């Protein structure tokens, strides 16, 4: 079958295109228009990330040079998926197929083989998730996510001694977790080339690029503070699920790399949004969450830096309209600063802040109760 593919990186097309196809790759829709009359493709594959115009413009343009009988396959970005489907439905466009934005390269290839008649059966149902749970931690800024990761990791590792637990620093702007645990030699990017292929990625020993905790043999740390591609996130998380029981991702600020972040959140079991109990942070966080309400992402709130004179918890619940997973009390700035400078884990100090320890223990206990594992003495 003769297929034209519009994709921004020609050298990667072989990864998702069936080898049975005769493929010509172009980088823009204008280049496709120029070559289609001579090549006469039987099918075309568009990646919306290759388009510089909004979907309603380039989809109209495509109809001016491609006959209706040519099969048209669109692989959208998350932000484009809904509007592309709406355009197709509203205009009654025929012979046009839109794949889900979440698909890996292997899944794209399988569905193309089915559409092109290369394979005659395919399971479109999602496979059961492996046992590993992924929790993404993010905030609108200055809510103590990294301090939480440093201390909660020790608390959870002590309560789940038979579980393997990974904490990963994805905070590109402020990789404090990387600095605290000195993770420059423990980078996920070392195995990044294998993420082109999900099967190869799963065969790698991902634990080898993590730094193992000296105090807890079941606790691992690594840094992923680089700019990832959507397909890399999918392969990475699928691989990590099979090698760890728990994966916690410190994403940090929630307002960068929206497409990659959306893929990460959709694949997460829980997304913890950290909020400060002040009106500005609460309102900003609420508005940000509202933009994601249709994505059906399992968001929960962790109220951070809380003290008794702040906005009440019932009021926070009514503002956010999202389940509250925990309340982390405020610690003095000098105490936190000393902890970060001295590389001291607060919950393991001889005289730890009691309320802080109790709050983290409550969150950890709830996680333990979900799997019915007996809590180890701390």
């Amino acid at each position: 079958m003769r297929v034209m593919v519009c994709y921004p990186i020609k050298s990667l097309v072989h990864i998702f295109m069936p080898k049975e196809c005769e493929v010509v790759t172009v980088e823009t829709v204008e280049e496709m228009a120029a070559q289609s009359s001579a090549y006469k493709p039987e099918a075309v594959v568009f990646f919306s990330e290759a388009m510089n115009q909004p979907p309603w413009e380039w989809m109209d343009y495509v109809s001016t040079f491609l006959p209706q009988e040519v099969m048209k396959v669109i692989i959208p970005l998350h932000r484009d998926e809904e509007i592309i489907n709406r355009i197709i439905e509203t205009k009654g466009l025929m012979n046009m197929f839109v794949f889900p934005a979440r698909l890996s390269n292997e899944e794209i290839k399988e569905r193309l083989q089915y559409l092109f008649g290369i394979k005659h059966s395919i399971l479109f149902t999602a496979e059961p998730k492996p046992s590993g749970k992924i929790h993404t931690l993010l905030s609108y800024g200055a809510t103590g996510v990294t301090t939480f990761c440093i201390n909660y990791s020790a608390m959870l590792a002590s309560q789940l001694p038979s579980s393997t637990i990974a904490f990963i620093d994805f905070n590109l702007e402020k990789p404090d977790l990387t600095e605290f645990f000195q993770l420059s030699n423990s980078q996920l990017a070392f195995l990044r080339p294998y993420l082109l292929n999900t099967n190869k990625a799963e065969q790698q020993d991902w634990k080898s690029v993590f730094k193992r905790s000296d105090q807890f043999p079941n606790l691992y740390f690594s840094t992923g503070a680089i700019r990832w591609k959507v397909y890399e996130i999918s392969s990475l998380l699928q691989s990590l699920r099979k090698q760890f029981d728990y994966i916690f991702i410190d994403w940090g600020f929630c307002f960068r790399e929206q497409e990659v972040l959306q893929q990460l959140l959709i694949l997460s079991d829980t997304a913890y949004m950290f909020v400060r109990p002040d009106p500005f942070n609460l309102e900003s966080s609420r508005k940000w969450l509202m933009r994601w309400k249709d994505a059906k992402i399992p968001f929960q709130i962790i109220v951070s830096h809380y003290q008794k004179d702040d906005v009440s918890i019932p009021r926070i619940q009514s503002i956010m309209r999202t389940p509250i997973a925990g309340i982390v009390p405020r610690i003095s700035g000098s105490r936190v600063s000393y902890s970060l400078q001295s590389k001291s884990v607060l919950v393991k100090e001889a005289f730890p802040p009691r309320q802080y320890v109790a709050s983290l223990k409550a969150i950890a206990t709830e996680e333990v109760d979900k799997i019915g594992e007996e809590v180890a003495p701390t």
Side-chain angles (χ1 to χ4, degrees):
M1 173 175 264
R2 295 189 308 279
V3 183
M4 290 193 77
V5 179
C6 188
Y7 188 69
I9 308 175
K10 291 184 178 181
S11 60
L12 298 181
V13 170
H14 71 280
I15 297 170
F16 53 79
M17 283 303 298
K19 63 182 180 180
E20 295 86 353
C21 295
E22 176 188 322
V23 178
V24 169
T25 305
V26 296
E27 295 183 351
T28 67
V29 71
E30 290 81 10
E31 188 180 350
M32 177 176 284
Q35 295 190 30
S36 61
S37 59
Y39 184 64
K40 291 183 170 52
E42 298 169 81
V44 293
V45 179
F46 301 95
F47 283 75
S48 69
E49 64 183 291
M51 308 302 174
N52 295 320
Q53 306 87 13
W56 53 88
E57 291 186 6
W58 66 260
M59 289 176 72
D60 279 345
Y61 180 53
V62 163
S63 64
T64 65
F65 65 85
L66 285 178
Q68 183 173 317
E69 63 268 17
V70 174
M71 184 184 297
K72 305 165 190 70
V73 181
I74 300 176
I75 300 167
L77 293 169
H78 285 290
R79 65 170 182 260
D80 298 332
E81 184 174 3
E82 182 180 354
I83 185 65
I84 288 174
N85 279 308
R86 194 183 310 159
I87 291 170
I88 293 173
E89 181 180 356
T90 302
K91 295 191 173 185
L93 301 178
M94 305 298 293
N95 211 13
M96 188 169 285
F97 305 87
V98 183
F99 286 1
R102 66 179 184 275
L103 298 182
S104 66
N105 288 324
E106 284 77 13
E107 290 170 324
I108 291 172
K109 179 182 287 187
E110 285 184 356
R111 296 200 178 195
L112 288 175
Q113 288 173 329
Y114 174 75
L115 281 178
F116 297 161
I118 299 168
K119 286 186 177 180
H120 299 288
S121 64
I122 184 170
L123 292 176
F124 275 73
T125 55
E127 295 181 1
K129 287 184 178 179
S131 59
K133 294 182 180 298
I134 294 173
H135 300 309
T136 299
L137 287 61
L138 65 164
S139 76
Y140 208 76
T143 56
V145 174
T146 298
T147 301
F148 176 88
C149 288
I150 292 169
N151 291 277
Y152 186 67
S153 60
M155 180 68 69
L156 191 62
S158 65
Q159 294 203 34
L160 291 173
S162 61
S163 297
T164 52
I165 303 169
F167 275 75
I168 308 171
D169 187 358
F170 267 62
N171 194 329
L172 188 62
E173 285 82 10
K174 202 168 180 287
D176 291 336
L177 199 65
T178 299
E179 174 64 25
F180 186 90
F181 288 111
Q182 299 178 344
L183 303 176
S184 59
N185 292 322
S186 304
Q187 300 187 33
L188 295 180
F190 291 158
L191 294 181
R192 191 177 188 181
Y194 296 104
L195 294 174
L196 286 169
N197 183 291
T198 303
N199 292 329
K200 289 184 178 179
E202 292 178 2
Q203 294 170 8
Q204 304 308 308
D205 179 12
W206 287 93
K207 288 182 180 178
S208 67
V209 295
F210 279 76
K211 183 176 184 178
R212 196 171 186 176
S213 169
D214 294 331
Q215 293 181 305
F216 304 99
N218 61 326
L219 182 58
Y220 298 79
F221 297 95
S222 186
T223 180
I226 58 174
R227 294 196 180 278
W228 297 93
K229 299 182 183 299
V230 173
Y231 74 84
E232 291 178 323
I233 289 294
S234 300
S235 296
L236 175 63
L237 297 187
Q238 186 170 328
S239 302
L240 293 178
R241 280 186 187 277
K242 295 186 177 182
Q243 299 189 26
F244 294 96
D245 297 306
Y246 292 90
I247 303 101
F248 287 82
I249 294 175
D250 176 3
W251 181 267
F253 304 128
C254 64
F255 43 77
R256 69 171 174 87
E257 293 190 43
Q258 185 171 4
E259 189 66 27
V260 173
L261 177 57
Q262 181 158 347
Q263 182 75 347
L264 172 61
L265 294 176
I266 287 174
L267 295 174
S268 297
D269 294 278
T270 307
Y272 291 111
M273 182 71 176
F274 283 65
V275 299
R276 296 178 68 103
D278 64 80
F280 175 78
N281 196 280
L282 288 171
E283 182 61 18
S284 298
S285 300
R286 185 191 69 80
K287 289 180 179 178
W288 188 88
L289 287 173
M290 286 295 293
R291 294 200 296 269
W292 296 75
K293 65 179 182 178
D294 295 329
K296 298 180 180 179
I297 295 169
F299 279 111
Q300 293 190 37
I301 299 296
I302 291 184
V303 182
S304 185
H305 298 322
Y306 188 77
Q307 49 191 350
K308 63 180 182 179
D309 295 331
D310 287 323
V311 179
S312 69
I313 296 302
R315 177 58 180 158
I316 292 174
Q317 179 75 77
S318 67
I319 293 172
M320 300 303 299
R321 299 178 184 176
T322 303
I324 294 179
I327 302 167
V328 180
R330 181 182 180 276
I331 306 174
S332 69
S334 59
R335 186 75 184 269
V336 173
S337 179
Y338 176 79
S339 169
L340 295 176
Q341 291 177 10
S342 64
K343 302 292 191 293
S344 170
V345 179
L346 288 169
V347 298
K348 303 304 294 182
E349 290 179 356
F351 301 100
R354 292 183 179 179
Q355 287 187 330
Y356 186 74
V357 171
S359 69
L360 266 59
K361 189 172 183 178
I363 298 172
T365 300
E366 184 173 345
E367 185 65 48
V368 172
D369 290 342
K370 291 178 184 177
I371 60 173
E373 183 168 332
E374 183 179 353
V375 178
T378 57

